[in-house]
């Protein structure tokens, strides 16, 4: 992950004072009316570790829970965004997965996005936190709610056992195995796709994709779309995109969340919050390359009010 260090838009505040910030937030919610501007400016100019200290200081000083107080003062999408900023990253992922699985129908998109894009270490942490927080095994909840090859691919990703580095000896044979499993035969052997795409490192997969292209004349994405269907197609494509370029994958997800009729606010919030300290600068650059507009301008045209202001502060600037 080191190569991505410092590619976020949100940085810690120097001269940070948790007690001072806790008091500022307390005052912003005291009495009649709420000072939303103060709340959103303060929380977007502190990093997640500092926000955790503010939560602790708030409880120490006032005997109250900061998140609960904010929830009682704010509403709608703005509230969801502020509450998301106050969760630890691993807790936010675990809760997003829980919400995606809970209730009628599964939000497959959330499972795919998180499990395809997080590092093996992050996935192991999510599994641990999920168990501690909800008293269930994440894998058991995922398998109870999904079926077939789609379920199998998610289970492979949950093992978080991707190999490290490039295995020179198997680049060619992996490409051949994918070709034999799809384009070359009548019907598809989905298991080969699941095993190879679920267990090789990103660097290794990029080499396999090049070899596959030489061998078959197709980009691996084209073959996946032709040879598989449903949730399996979506998760395999997400894994391929993340192996090629994680920020470009998120740029595409962000564009999709805002394009067309209505905005998928849950996805917009999830990506803007979860990538704000990792690679949002790179996501912005990829967004500008891929689409005819900037992330900043698209958010401006899709969101409004304090919700929009907060998203734009997380975005951190416009790319003309």
């Amino acid at each position: 992950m080191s190569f991505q260090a410092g590619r976020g838009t949100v940085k810690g505040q120097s001269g940070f004072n948790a007690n001072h910030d806790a008091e500022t937030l307390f005052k912003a919610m005291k009495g009649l009316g709420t000072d939303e501007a103060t709340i959103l400016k303060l929380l977007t100019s502190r990093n997640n570790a500092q926000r955790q200290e503010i939560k602790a200081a708030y409880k120490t000083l006032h005997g109250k829970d900061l998140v609960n107080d904010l929830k009682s003062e704010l509403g709608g999408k703005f509230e969801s965004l502020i509450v998301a900023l106050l969760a630890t990253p691993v807790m936010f992922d675990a809760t997003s997965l829980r919400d995606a699985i809970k209730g009628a129908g599964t939000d497959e998109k959330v499972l795919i996005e998180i499990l395809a894009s997080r590092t093996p270490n992050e996935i192991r942490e999510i599994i641990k936190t999920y168990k501690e927080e909800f008293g269930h095994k994440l894998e058991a909840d995922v398998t109870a709610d999904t079926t077939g090859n789609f379920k199998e691919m998610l289970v492979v990703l949950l093992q978080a056992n991707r190999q490290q580095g490039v295995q020179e000896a198997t680049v060619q044979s992996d490409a051949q195995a994918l070709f034999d499993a799809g384009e070359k035969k009548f019907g598809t052997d989905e298991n080969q796709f699941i095993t190879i795409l679920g267990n090789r490192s990103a660097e290794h997969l990029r080499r396999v994709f090049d070899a596959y292209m030489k061998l078959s004349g197709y980009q691996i994405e084209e073959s996946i779309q032709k040879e598989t269907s449903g949730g399996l197609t979506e998760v395999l494509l997400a894994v391929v995109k993340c192996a090629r370029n994680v920020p470009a994958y998120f740029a595409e997800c962000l564009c999709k969340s805002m394009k067309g009729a209505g905005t998928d606010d849950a996805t917009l919030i999830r990506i803007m919050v979860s990538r704000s300290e990792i690679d949002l600068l790179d996501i912005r650059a990829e967004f500008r390359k891929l689409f005819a507009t900037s992330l900043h301008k698209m958010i401006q045209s899709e969101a409004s009010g304090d919700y929009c202001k907060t998203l734009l502060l997380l975005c951190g600037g416009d790319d003309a």
Side-chain angles (χ1 to χ4, degrees):
M1 288 297 282
S2 53
F3 72 96
Q4 287 181 340
R7 300 297 299 159
T9 50
V10 171
K11 306 270 185 266
Q13 191 208 28
S14 57
F16 167 71
N17 180 328
N19 285 350
H20 177 266
D21 284 352
E23 280 311 307
T24 304
L25 290 171
F26 184 73
K27 286 197 188 101
M29 291 186 278
K30 222 175 71 176
L32 279 169
T34 306
D35 179 359
E36 285 92 354
T38 295
I39 294 169
L40 69 89
K41 281 189 189 112
L42 190 149
L43 292 176
T44 52
S45 55
R46 309 293 184 269
N47 66 16
N48 194 278
Q50 291 175 335
R51 291 181 213 126
Q52 302 314 314
E53 288 186 49
I54 296 168
K55 281 193 328 201
Y58 191 90
K59 193 164 270 183
T60 300
L61 294 168
H62 299 291
K64 291 153 67 143
D65 184 84
L66 174 59
V67 174
N68 289 343
D69 280 3
L70 285 162
K71 278 180 171 172
S72 69
E73 296 292 327
L74 312 174
K77 296 177 278 201
F78 177 50
E79 177 192 314
S80 303
L81 177 53
I82 293 295
V83 169
L85 286 169
L86 284 161
T88 62
V90 64
M91 191 60 206
F92 184 48
D93 278 349
T95 309
S96 298
L97 289 167
R98 179 80 181 123
D99 292 343
I101 294 165
K102 222 173 58 188
T106 308
D107 192 343
E108 294 182 352
K109 179 173 72 273
V110 179
L111 301 185
I112 291 168
E113 179 202 301
I114 293 177
L115 297 182
S117 66
R118 302 305 189 252
T119 64
N121 281 341
E122 286 166 341
I123 289 182
R124 282 190 281 272
E125 284 300 307
I126 292 166
I127 289 169
K128 193 167 141 252
T129 303
Y130 191 95
K131 180 88 171 79
E132 286 163 5
E133 201 58 33
F134 307 116
H136 295 224
K137 283 196 168 143
L138 176 56
E139 188 181 316
D141 281 0
V142 167
T143 52
D145 249 30
T146 54
T147 55
N149 296 127
F150 175 55
K151 171 173 83 176
E152 287 156 21
M153 184 62 181
L154 294 179
V155 171
V156 169
L157 295 175
L158 281 167
Q159 304 318 299
N161 278 330
R162 275 193 192 281
Q163 296 162 351
Q164 301 289 298
V166 177
Q167 320 289 322
E168 290 294 341
T170 60
V171 169
Q172 205 54 46
S173 59
D174 279 351
Q176 186 69 51
L178 289 171
F179 183 56
D180 293 345
E183 295 289 351
K184 202 172 156 187
K185 67 193 288 261
F186 184 75
T188 309
D189 176 5
E190 288 89 357
N191 285 319
Q192 281 294 348
F193 283 86
I194 291 168
T195 302
I196 293 170
L197 295 177
N199 287 296
R200 309 289 190 265
S201 71
E203 307 89 323
H204 181 89
L205 285 173
R206 289 196 291 273
R207 296 276 301 277
V208 171
F209 302 156
D210 290 344
Y212 184 85
M213 179 72 194
K214 288 196 184 89
L215 188 68
S216 68
Y218 294 110
Q219 292 287 9
I220 189 72
E221 290 91 335
E222 298 175 83
S223 294
I224 288 169
Q225 273 167 327
K226 277 196 303 195
E227 299 292 329
T228 62
S229 63
L232 180 66
T233 307
E234 296 307 317
V235 69
L236 292 176
L237 287 175
V239 166
V240 169
K241 284 169 187 168
C242 289
R244 288 196 192 274
N245 183 333
V246 168
Y249 168 69
F250 282 117
E252 206 179 299
C253 292
L254 282 168
C255 184
K256 250 186 228 160
S257 76
M258 292 184 275
K259 237 174 47 192
T263 303
D264 174 2
D265 291 291
T267 295
L268 181 54
I269 291 170
R270 196 170 52 249
I271 297 174
M272 293 299 290
V273 170
S274 65
R275 307 315 287 187
S276 61
E277 289 178 47
I278 301 175
D279 54 4
L280 195 47
L281 287 171
D282 297 323
I283 292 169
R284 262 171 48 189
E286 293 293 342
F287 196 98
R288 191 68 196 80
K289 268 194 283 192
L290 290 166
F291 309 110
T293 184
S294 67
L295 179 57
H296 194 277
K297 288 191 182 71
M298 197 166 200
I299 290 170
Q300 252 174 335
S301 70
E302 291 297 320
S304 61
D306 293 319
Y307 174 57
C308 183
K309 283 179 202 155
T310 312
L311 287 171
L312 293 176
L313 285 169
L314 290 176
C315 184
D318 197 354
D319 308 280

